[in-house]
Amino acid sequence: MPERHNTCPAQPGRPAGAGRTAGAAAAGAAARSSRALDARTLYLAAAEPLRVTSTGEALVISRPHCGTMGEVQRVPVARVLRVVCNDSVEWSGAALALCLQRGITVSWLDGRGAELGHLWPQRPRRTDLAEALDMLAGSEPGWSDSYRHWLRHQRLAVLQVWQGERARAGHPVGEAEWQLAKRSWVYQDELADHLPPLLHGLAAALVAHRLSECGLSSHYWCCAGEPMELVQDLTRLVWAEMNLCAGALADAVDHPREAAALFERWSGRCVGALHQHLANLRAHALRELHG
């Protein structure tokens, strides 16, 4: 299922872009309004190196070592939701600048599918979660412990989703199995990976895109100097649900194109799970601030 909708935690009563300059808010609004309704993820991976340049309205993808004009593809930026590419793709500065201007997140994965990094466009903040995390991380000494407690609660929620799916499938989780899973995953943060590693990188790219769309940062520094790795932690929650509920999808996927197609079928569910985690984090952070 292709991603088409922005799903950020609800924030009643606060105008989009508050706390940022009017120019930044206008630029972000213009980028969103110019995006087509059928915009999709652009996956860039090939056996030979690719090069991405740009015109004013399109990304131009070529195979520089092939030497044939027929290898050139132009993709209108209005049709691009986000970009996921491997580390053999060469980008021009103009192409990266165009992605920044249009609010397109670019994620890089290595040859094994591990996350390398992201191009993180500036956007107007659209949720009070961003301000709450800034305040809690910067001034509350106990926030690190509170955040870790929230993570344990979310790991339990993921396990309950798995328990519910097993029951609906006619294979309920036994008490011994439940206690073992709860001890290893909820309390020890240990998870048996069944899906191929490339899918983990694709999940991280999706999480990074959604956090960027919501005006959040990839990580925060707590006042005691401890990092709060928001992309990493949310990716692990989404990845755990994928592994626990994968079923037949746990079969190995070796080719990047197959992995991307498989992940697209999962992306709608992943977005829904991520939205719920962010909504729960917002409620938890606001309770900490105002409780």
Side-chain angles (χ1 to χ4, degrees):
M1 174 178 180
E3 307 157 51
R4 297 188 181 179
H5 304 291
N6 177 35
T7 52
C8 303
Q11 180 194 350
R14 186 175 186 274
R20 296 286 298 276
T21 65
R32 289 191 301 276
S33 64
S34 65
R35 183 175 294 164
L37 292 177
D38 60 348
R40 295 175 181 242
T41 302
L42 176 62
Y43 292 98
L44 298 178
E48 68 276 8
L50 300 177
R51 178 164 176 77
V52 183
T53 56
S54 69
T55 65
E57 295 295 329
L59 295 176
V60 181
I61 304 162
S62 61
R63 291 171 169 81
H65 302 298
C66 290
T68 60
M69 292 303 293
E71 296 295 335
V72 175
Q73 179 184 9
R74 289 174 173 81
V75 182
V77 289
R79 300 290 301 277
V80 179
L81 180 65
R82 61 192 181 98
V83 180
V84 180
C85 65
N86 59 26
D87 53 6
S88 66
V89 178
E90 301 175 3
W91 285 80
S92 71
L96 290 174
L98 182 61
C99 289
L100 284 171
Q101 293 163 4
R102 297 304 181 91
I104 297 171
T105 307
V106 182
S107 298
W108 283 267
L109 310 179
D110 68 14
R112 299 182 303 276
E115 171 192 7
L116 291 175
H118 312 277
L119 181 75
W120 204 274
Q122 282 195 336
R123 305 178 194 271
R125 291 189 172 186
R126 297 166 59 193
T127 69
D128 51 3
L129 176 57
E131 283 75 15
L133 293 180
D134 279 339
M135 293 178 64
L136 289 167
S139 61
E140 291 293 332
W143 172 242
S144 295
D145 290 336
S146 179
Y147 177 70
R148 283 193 293 269
H149 176 76
W150 174 81
L151 277 176
R152 284 194 298 272
H153 184 273
Q154 295 309 111
R155 289 198 291 269
L156 178 60
V158 168
L159 209 60
Q160 289 168 336
V161 170
W162 166 68
Q163 182 186 45
E165 291 212 352
R166 283 277 300 269
R168 286 189 293 274
H171 303 288
V173 179
E175 180 62 22
E177 186 181 9
W178 170 258
Q179 292 299 331
L180 177 62
K182 187 164 68 170
R183 183 166 59 253
S184 59
W185 164 237
V186 176
Y187 295 107
Q188 299 174 356
D189 192 16
E190 295 176 354
L191 177 71
D193 293 346
H194 301 294
L195 295 169
L198 177 56
L199 290 179
H200 183 277
L202 297 180
L206 173 62
V207 170
H209 167 71
R210 290 295 168 178
L211 293 189
S212 173
E213 288 251 299
C214 291
L216 295 166
S217 297
S218 61
H219 68 275
Y220 295 81
W221 286 99
C222 298
C223 60
E226 184 177 353
M228 177 182 144
E229 300 288 356
L230 198 54
V231 167
Q232 178 179 308
D233 292 338
L234 289 170
T235 298
R236 186 151 177 80
L237 292 172
V238 171
W239 177 242
E241 184 171 329
M242 290 175 64
N243 274 274
L244 288 166
C245 303
L249 295 180
D251 295 336
V253 178
D254 296 324
H255 195 280
R257 188 181 298 274
E258 296 172 353
L262 176 62
F263 186 77
E264 282 296 307
R265 294 200 294 271
W266 267 78
S267 61
R269 174 172 179 156
C270 292
V271 168
L274 178 58
H275 179 271
Q276 188 60 57
H277 291 311
L278 286 172
N280 291 345
L281 179 58
R282 176 181 180 270
H284 179 72
L286 294 181
R287 280 197 301 269
E288 288 290 303
L289 276 179
H290 305 301

